[in-house]
Amino acid sequence: MQILGQQKIELLPLLAVLVLGVLAIGVGIIYPPSLPVAIGGVAVFMLMFAWALKWDVTIWAWLWVLSYGFLNAPEWNLKLAGFFNMTPPRFIFIFAAIVFVMYFFLHHKKVKFDRGIMWAMAALLVYLAINIQMHGWVGETQTYRSAPYYRFIGSILLPFSMFFLFYNAGSKETMIRRGLILITIYGWYALYIGYLQYAGNMGIGAAWKMIWPAYIKNPEYGYHIDRARGAFFGPSPQAVFLVTLFFVDLYLIRKLKGNYKYFVIGQAILTPPAVFFTGMRSAYIAILACGLIWVIWGGRRRFALMKIGIVVVLLCVVGVTQWERLTTAKRLEGGVSARGPVVARLTLLKSTWKMYCEKPLMGVGFGHFVSKQLTMEREADSYIGLEPSVLVQHNLFLNMAAETGTIGLGLTILVFILLFRESRKLYSRIPAQAAGDVSREFVVLFWVIFANYLIDAMFRDPLWDPFSNGLLWCFAAIVVCLNRLLDPAPLELPLTAAVAPV
């Protein structure tokens, strides 16, 4: 019976290829210029089918997220009349979704919707869709017309959907290591671009010539050209990724064996300066706060106080010796005392409070913050000298309060609480001696990534950034998936002695 079943499965790709091949030839005969496209489509389908049948489909989630870092050029898009512009990351998401569906079909996987966090995420999605429908899917301000649907689809719907697919497809411990290795591979590219951008901003003109793709160095692309923003529209996604990369490296240093471990050590050394190059004060806070989490819960407790003491001493030494540099308003030199962003956030806080008081239950409409703010009465000089981006709320929770009211803010907080609850549950059920990738150390790594996201969200609205949201929810999918795999009884985990933590 087992042999017959195996033969039946192997006939499926052969039959599918045969049918598609006949269709491709038929299309080529009817319209010869389309033959190369038809054959290419068959080849892509064959690859997707083979991947769904034999390989780890969760890799596609990481490919989708990381594609925002090197395949998201403004000119690389397909404009479709009456539809959204299709970019490489959006095409990759569609391919990924198809591969996941094929995987569920070929392996007879039951798709589950059995976690409280999923119901909370679904409730948030439905509520936001209703909220946007009530207030409009496009904004009234020309520059921000796409805000409602872009933020809903790019930063909420797609990451939540990938979370759901990943959760149901995850089945092996190896999915963790493969995803982390892909992050480090992309990390080399992010570091390469970041260092070159910093060198170029410091006056080394030859550095700009070495940056690829060329759109990254175009001063008309994005904002904060004076900072190392990687391949992104602004420096925030680069900063979020680099903080994540640093702790992924620390985790892999403990787990890896072989030559690549030394490359990861080198990457971990190069990453903190690259975080500094972004000029993001939120990233400075995040790497310190996440380091505290890592030291206290991610290593040996008896060395935690000693490590914290060493860090405090180093920070004091840097503060004393570099005081003049730190207190300057120039971000490129490491200054953190620029007053403009502080004034802007205070102005935004006043506007947010007025919006919330006006419509405390459902807000002024998801994605309509800018449109509403421009119609409000304000002090005559409130926005003099401020950048256009100041019109956008720079705090996720304040933005949700203003745009979606108490209901939207409550659902957002509920999603985060339930996500942390899932991670706490996983941490408590994994034996302390577990030394594989299904370990308490991985849960601590997730806490670091979660804290990194929330700290960033206190200084900007990350719903403009699909990359940071996709990164968080792919890690979240692993955590929730592991809770599913450990039900109803724990798996047999490797309990051999772990490598000494660093």
Side-chain angles (χ1 to χ4, degrees), residues 246-247 250 254 287-311 444 448 501-502:
F246 178 66
F247 290 98
L250 294 185
R254 299 180 179 183
I287 198 167
L288 292 175
C290 293
L292 193 63
I293 295 172
W294 183 257
V295 167
I296 295 176
W297 286 282
R300 295 179 179 177
R301 295 291 180 87
R302 59 180 178 177
F303 295 126
L305 291 178
M306 181 182 70
K307 292 178 181 179
I308 293 173
I310 293 173
V311 171
V444 175
V448 164
V502 295

Side-chain angles (χ1 to χ4, degrees), residues 151 155 223-224 232-241 280 282-283 345 348 389 392-400 452-471:
R151 284 148 46 81
S155 295
Y223 58 96
H224 292 317
F232 299 100
F233 191 76
S236 298
Q238 173 84 343
V240 169
F241 173 76
M280 296 298 299
S282 59
R345 282 167 173 79
L348 288 168
S389 61
V392 179
Q393 177 54 260
H394 284 53
N395 182 291
L396 170 63
F397 301 100
L398 291 176
N399 184 81
M400 294 302 287
N452 180 31
Y453 178 88
L454 292 178
I455 292 171
D456 177 68
M458 299 303 293
F459 292 86
R460 67 162 181 146
D461 179 9
L463 297 183
W464 289 98
D465 174 18
F467 173 81
S468 298
N469 289 278
L471 192 65

